[in-house]
Every structure is written in C-alpha cells, then in structure tokens.
Amino acid sequence: MPLVQLPATPPPHINPDDHALVVGINDYVAGINTLQGAINDCNLFCRWLVDPTMGGLNPANISLVVSAGHQPPAEPVRNQIEDILATYFDRANTGWLGGRRLYLFLAGHGLSRPPPNHRDCALVMADARPNLLRGLLGGVAADSMRLTGLFKEVMLVMDTCAEVSGPAELLCNLPFYGDVTLTPRRPFLHIHAASWNATAAEKLLPDPLDPGAAGSWQGVLTNALLRGLTTASDDAGRITSSSLKRFIEAAAGGPRIEFDDGEPGAPTPMVFGTPRGVPVNVSLRNGAARFQVRDGIDFGVVRQAQTAPATVMLKPGLWLFDGIDAAGLITGSQAVSVREGGMDVAI
C-alpha cells in the first residue's frame, strides 16, 4: 500500500489526541482521467495538520495514502483504507479510550448514489474500472467512527465530484454500532466539494498557506478550505465549523457542507484555532519610500515602517495604510477593509 511516512516533529504537540487519514488518488486505469491536484491537496492538508500553529497533530497519528502512478498494482483500494480505520476499533478493544478528533480527507474522482441514497458520496478508488467504478463511501466511514464513540469529533472533507454514473460499487465495510440519539451528541463537520450529481474542479492556484511559495494544481475546495482554516474567524475570534462554512461557500462555489455543534442546550462547536491573518500585498507609489499600518479604529501603529513590495498578515477588519517618504513624512493614507482571501494595496 502506498503509505507515506511524514517527518517527525518535536513535541509537545498541541493536539496529541487528534488523528487523521488523508487519501489522494491522481492515477487511475485507462479510461478514467488522470488528475493533477489530488495528491497536492493531501500534501497541503498535511502541512496544515502538522504545523504547530495550525492543526498541531503528531505526524505519527497521520496516515497519508496516495496513488503511486500507473504501474500495477492499482492502489490504494477500498479494503486498505477500511483496514486503517479498523485499527482504531482494534485499539478500543484493547483499552484505548478514544481520540479527540478524527480528520478524514479524501481527494480524487468521486461518485454519488442515486436517490434515495443520494447524500452518500464515495471516493473512486485506484482499482476502479470504467465498467465497474469501485468507491469508498466517505460519509458512512465518518459516521461509523463518530457514532461508535471512537472520537469525540469527526471532520470529513471530500474534494471529489459527486456525479451519478454507470455501474458502481460504492461501499464502506466498517463496524457500525452506535445510536445517533445517544447523549452527548458528538460534533461533526462534513465538507463536500460538490452537491449531488455535480462536478468539482481543480486549477493551478497559489499556495494557500504560504503566499510566497509557488502555486500548484489544487482542488478549488482544498484551496478555499485551507485559506479558511487560517483566516475564517467568527465574531469571537475563533475559526469554527460555522465560520468555515460561510467562508467556503463564498469562496468555492457550490459545496455541500453540514455540521453539528453537539448538544443544542450546551453546544461545543468544533474549533480549529485562531486566524493567523490575511495576506495583504503592499506596493508603493507617489514618492513613498516605506509604509506603516495603523488600526482603523484607534489609529495606533500595528506594523512599523518598512520597505515594499512586501506582504503583511492582518486580521479581517479596517486598517490604515500610510505611505512614508525618505524624510519620514506621511505622503498619503488609505483606509482598507481587509477581507478573507487576501488583497493588494498600493499607497
């Protein structure tokens, strides 16, 4: 199985009880189009997962599985992914008390079932054939892990299409015992790139985590998700399921996003950290040699004078950008409403 070993990171890890299964498939048999961005999506998501200022996971808790080209055998296949998830059931049977959060990230071709099961979406596996499309049902896997109590929270991301097509074998064979009505209700977040019988897209896009890095082919959903996971703050300054939903729906077209914050009387929203800021690209004009940034409310300086072009990271809100000449005098000021997603400013 093409399991990728991630480099270790030094402890402590801020979320040592979080786990992740990340699966990306670019390569399929003849007759099924090769993708360019699914493995890139997985690598980008893993960067967020292991970054101590972002996901904060121990890399040892992450299973990264990707296709390895067109040479046989065609992997990964469904039972390999099921086996990885089944190990958590094995651990529970030997005394493991469960984890805090499980991330399931699936990228590749995707299919949906016809009604009445049209909300079930599957990642098309590498051993699929044009006349028999084998897939793993992501939602069934996520629910199996959550309702059995193995994890307190589950986040599912499927950067796949959700078309209905041809002869398909879409399954997920995991133990499924539990009761959705039991308390406490466990929070979840399910993010699908496409609505039922719709397609998703991949494009050549900028790096969503490092504005200075080279771009790459990515799923439009993955790019929006990772920008949201670093900038999509709610009113309390947290990145939550609700704030992510708003951000992704505005940035990525027509995704299907469902979430539950747990008990209605005492909700426990899934929190993904605090925003690190939005990239603002600054250039100079009108004789300015440097620039500074001030708070748009109290006018205090928040970024000392520096040269440009430069990129500064700011939280969404109102800011004043001042151009400063060689003598230290302000040549002009511009009020800028910084929004999620990044922007350019010339002063």
Side-chain angles (χ1 to χ4, degrees):
M1 177 176 57
L3 184 64
V4 179
Q5 187 74 33
L6 295 177
T9 57
H13 301 99
I14 60 173
N15 290 310
D17 295 325
D18 288 4
H19 293 249
L21 171 58
V22 182
V23 184
I25 303 175
N26 279 348
D27 310 300
Y28 293 89
V29 302
I32 302 177
N33 292 338
T34 297
L35 298 174
Q36 300 183 75
I39 294 177
N40 291 340
D41 292 343
C42 292
N43 291 330
L44 286 166
F45 190 64
C46 284
R47 279 172 52 194
W48 180 87
L49 287 172
V50 302
D51 191 302
T53 66
M54 300 182 199
L57 272 71
N58 182 345
N61 290 348
I62 301 172
S63 297
L64 171 60
V65 185
V66 298
S67 60
H70 292 286
Q71 68 272 20
E75 294 179 323
V77 299
R78 185 173 55 232
N79 70 293
Q80 291 173 329
I81 306 306
E82 292 166 343
D83 285 349
I84 292 173
L85 293 174
T87 61
Y88 291 109
F89 293 87
D90 296 339
R91 293 172 63 178
N93 290 334
T94 58
W96 182 57
L97 298 179
R100 184 186 78 107
R101 178 182 296 165
L102 175 67
Y103 295 91
L104 289 176
F105 184 96
L106 309 176
H109 284 300
L111 290 174
S112 284
R113 287 173 164 176
N117 300 311
H118 54 285
R119 301 191 74 79
D120 291 341
C121 184
L123 172 68
V124 176
M125 304 311 297
D127 65 338
R129 305 169 59 87
N131 58 0
L132 182 56
L133 297 167
R134 301 182 179 96
L136 174 78
L137 290 167
V140 174
D143 286 344
S144 179
M145 304 304 289
R146 179 172 58 90
L147 298 179
T148 52
L150 292 174
F151 291 91
K152 297 180 177 68
E153 305 172 351
V154 174
M155 178 183 184
L156 168 69
V157 180
M158 296 196 68
D159 200 339
T160 71
C161 295
E163 296 176 285
V164 178
S165 176
E169 183 186 73
L170 310 181
L171 301 170
C172 178
N173 296 310
L174 287 173
F176 196 96
Y177 46 86
D179 185 346
V180 72
T181 66
L182 291 178
T183 56
R185 277 166 51 174
R186 299 175 181 89
F188 69 85
L189 172 61
H190 292 184
I191 302 174
H192 298 264
S195 300
W196 179 75
N197 206 25
T199 59
E202 57 177 10
K203 296 181 179 179
L204 184 60
L205 294 168
D207 190 300
L209 300 175
D210 182 357
S216 62
W217 279 89
Q218 304 160 39
V220 171
L221 172 69
T222 296
N223 184 274
L225 168 67
L226 291 171
R227 287 188 288 121
L229 283 169
T230 54
T231 66
S233 174
D234 66 5
D235 292 339
R238 306 172 304 171
I239 300 170
T240 64
S241 297
S242 179
S243 66
L244 266 180
K245 182 176 188 291
R246 289 194 301 270
F247 180 91
I248 295 170
E249 287 177 340
R256 176 166 63 91
I257 303 175
E258 302 168 344
F259 72 93
D260 190 314
D261 286 338
E263 288 298 315
T268 53
M270 293 177 66
V271 177
F272 302 91
T274 56
R276 67 174 189 177
V278 175
V280 180
N281 303 312
V282 183
S283 59
L284 300 176
R285 59 182 180 180
N286 300 328
R290 296 177 297 162
F291 74 95
Q292 68 180 12
V293 183
R294 291 184 287 154
D295 188 291
I297 305 300
D298 63 18
F299 308 119
V301 175
V302 296
R303 293 289 189 276
Q304 297 295 329
Q306 66 181 90
T307 58
T311 299
V312 294
M313 305 295 289
L314 297 170
K315 294 181 180 179
L318 183 63
W319 307 94
L320 286 176
F321 287 74
D322 300 324
I324 301 175
D325 65 15
L329 301 175
I330 293 178
T331 60
S333 298
Q334 183 177 344
V336 177
S337 179
V338 173
R339 303 175 305 276
E340 292 137 337
M343 60 191 311
D344 299 325
V345 173
I347 50 176

